[in-house]
Amino acid sequence: MNILAIILAAGFSKRMGENKLLLEYKGKTFVQTIIEKLLEINFNKIILVVSNLEIYKKYKNYNEKIFVIFNDKAEKGISESIKKAVTYAKNNLEVDKYMFFVADQPLLKKETILKIIKESGSNKIIVPKNNNTMYNPVIFPNKYNSELLSLEGDKGGKQIILKNLADITFVDIEDSNEFQDVDVIEEYLKLINERKL
């Protein structure tokens, strides 16, 4: 089964006050951390959607498996990144499913990603959850192309999930800390301090 990994990394980090994807955890930036995990898993192709020129230049020729898309409409919200990635995939790649990642979950384990992928044999949306809370990464079959391409604003694929609850396989993940995203400086400092303990 051909699953395309898509990293959504075109946000502006307004609450952080600086580009959080360039913050470091264990000596690597957040964006480098997720890229290395996905390369280890051996996805055939990885799309990285960015709005930062520094990140774009660094990764545009980084690896033959990675295609970097510059989102010049990132101010319209995460939906623009999703649409740019799906449009590129439709026009250039053979894809059965899309697995959407965010770049600010440095604690996400490779084993968890593989557990989610393992459930993707059906043609359903695959959603990890913990205590009835849904998280990323989510897998969408390509039968949802039109819905993905119709998204607007900053809500992302969650609006599709909520409209199609009967077509979802949930994957229970024991440790919700893996899905911790880092939006403000206090969360980043907590992450770093816990690392030192």
Side-chain angles (χ1 to χ4, degrees):
M1 186 169 297
N2 196 352
I3 301 177
L4 171 68
I6 298 173
I7 306 171
L8 303 172
F12 293 109
S13 309
K14 291 179 180 177
R15 286 187 285 168
M16 181 65 69
E18 60 181 294
N19 193 321
K20 62 184 175 182
L21 303 185
L22 298 174
L23 295 175
E24 290 195 358
Y25 179 69
K26 294 186 178 181
K28 298 175 185 176
T29 63
F30 284 7
V31 69
Q32 181 75 24
T33 297
I34 186 62
I35 285 172
E36 288 189 3
K37 282 176 190 169
L38 299 189
L39 287 173
E40 286 178 19
I41 290 171
N42 208 23
F43 282 95
N44 289 332
K45 192 75 174 177
I46 299 168
I47 288 180
L48 173 66
V49 188
V50 303
S51 62
N52 178 279
L53 276 174
E54 180 181 348
I55 297 174
Y56 177 79
K57 290 176 181 176
K58 180 173 182 178
Y59 292 105
K60 67 176 182 176
N61 297 311
Y62 182 78
N63 185 289
E64 62 182 12
K65 290 187 175 184
I66 300 175
F67 182 82
V68 184
I69 296 174
F70 190 82
N71 183 358
D72 56 356
K73 297 180 180 178
E75 71 280 354
K76 292 187 176 182
I78 198 169
S79 61
E80 286 299 316
S81 291
I82 293 171
K83 289 190 284 189
K84 284 185 178 293
V86 172
T87 298
Y88 175 83
K90 281 185 64 180
N91 293 335
N92 298 280
L93 303 170
E94 293 290 332
V95 177
D96 297 315
K97 299 173 186 290
Y98 310 97
M99 190 168 190
F100 289 96
F101 295 84
V102 291
D104 62 346
Q105 291 179 332
L107 300 180
L108 181 65
K109 296 176 184 175
K110 185 172 71 171
E111 293 76 15
T112 298
I113 298 170
L114 291 170
K115 183 177 181 179
I116 297 166
I117 292 172
K118 188 176 180 181
E119 296 297 325
S120 66
S122 68
N123 207 30
K124 293 188 174 185
I125 302 171
I126 313 299
V127 181
K129 72 177 180 69
N130 175 279
N131 286 334
N132 295 316
T133 300
M134 298 183 292
Y135 294 98
N136 288 304
V138 172
I139 298 177
F140 284 94
N142 61 10
K143 68 181 181 181
Y144 284 99
N145 274 351
S146 60
E147 286 91 335
L148 290 166
L149 292 171
S150 298
L151 290 172
E152 297 291 340
D154 206 34
K155 294 183 180 178
K158 189 172 184 180
Q159 48 197 307
I160 298 174
I161 292 170
L162 295 176
K163 290 178 182 177
N164 295 276
L165 291 174
D167 195 37
I168 292 174
T169 296
F170 288 104
V171 182
D172 288 306
I173 306 298
E174 187 174 329
D175 185 7
S176 64
N177 288 328
E178 286 190 55
F179 303 111
Q180 175 188 342
D181 54 12
V182 181
D183 291 322
V184 295
I185 191 65
E186 289 80 9
E187 291 171 344
Y188 177 61
L189 293 175
K190 181 180 178 184
L191 182 72
I192 297 303
N193 289 332
E194 287 178 351
R195 161 79 176 145
K196 293 176 181 177
L197 294 178

